[in-house]
Amino acid sequence: MNRPLNSPAIKVVKSVREQVSPEEWQTRVDLAACYRLTAMYGMTEMIANHISCRVPGSHDQFLINPYGMLYEEIDASCLIKVDIEGNTLFNASEYGVNAAGFVIHSAIHMAKPEMECVAHTHTPAGMAVSAMECGLLPLAQTSMRFLHVAYHDFEGIADDVGERERLVADLGDHEAMVLRNHGLLVVGRTVPSTFNLLYRMERACEVQVMALSCNTKLIRPPQNVLEATFDRMKPRVDLPNRNGELAWPALLRKLDRVDPSYRN
C-alpha cells in the first residue's frame, strides 16, 4: 500500500524590515549610512567604537553596532536593539554588544531624551587632541564651532556602569565632548546632525594637529569674534545647513554610488 509523502517543512523567515516598524527601519537605514560614511571618511579603528540611535517611539531602547563587524560592513538589518539596562531586545547578527560601548551610549540615552544619536571615535587626530592640556583650540572657522565643548577625564576602559553618571555630568548641555586621553564624543537630535558634528569636530582636530606641528606662532582671533562665530554656527532646526540636513541627501547619494548595501 502506497503511503502519501509528507510535505517537507518549510521555515519562513521574515526579514528584519518585516519585523520592525517603518519608523525603526528608516532609523536603521540612516544609522547604517552613518557607519558607512564614518568609514568612508577614515574615522574608524577597526571594529572598535560605536554610533547609536534611539529607537523611534521609545525612551529606553537604542540601536548599536555588533561588536565584531567593521563599519564598512554595517547594514540596517545587523544593528542590535538593546535597552538601557543592557538587555538585548533584537539581534539578527552573530555578534554581541561591546561593554564599553553600552556604558558610554546608554549613559547619554538615559540622561538626554532630546538627543537621538551618539557617536564616539578613536581617530589619530582626536586622540592626539584628547591628550593636549590646551584642549580643542579655535584655530580656524571650522574649529570655532567647538569653542565651547565638554571634557571628561580618563578613568580607564569605560566598561564600568558607575562612570555613566560622571560622563553625563561632564557633558552637561554640550553637544561635543573630548574624552581625555581617549577620543571624541558627539550627540545630536538626528543621525544627520550627529554625523555633521562628528565630521567637523574631526576636521578641527586635524587642523590643530597640523598647525601645532608647524612650530610657528599661531593667530587667535579676539574672544568677541570667536563667540559671535560660535553663535552663528550652532545648530538650528530652521537652518538645515547648520544641522547636517542639507548635506545628508548628497552624502546618501555618494554612498549609493559606491555601495548601497547599507540599506539591506
Side-chain angles (χ1 to χ4, degrees), residues 11-30:
K11 185 178 181 180
V12 178
V13 179
K14 289 185 177 181
S15 67
V16 173
R17 184 170 188 171
E18 293 173 302
Q19 298 179 65
V20 301
S21 69
E23 293 79 12
E24 180 178 329
W25 181 254
Q26 185 57 56
T27 297
R28 285 173 170 270
V29 171
D30 285 338

Side-chain angles (χ1 to χ4, degrees), residues 75-87:
D75 62 24
S77 295
C78 76
L79 294 163
I80 302 175
K81 186 193 302 186
V82 298
D83 65 20
I84 57 177
E85 299 301 326
N87 301 305

Side-chain angles (χ1 to χ4, degrees), residues 149-188:
V149 297
Y151 294 88
H152 175 69
D153 288 337
F154 187 65
E155 299 185 20
I157 302 298
D159 55 4
D160 178 5
V161 292
E163 190 176 351
R164 295 196 293 195
E165 184 177 346
R166 295 183 292 278
L167 274 164
V168 169
D170 287 337
L171 178 61
D173 293 329
H174 295 92
E175 294 180 305
M177 182 160 68
V178 176
L179 304 177
R180 294 285 193 184
N181 309 101
H182 187 174
L184 307 178
L185 184 141
V186 298
V187 300

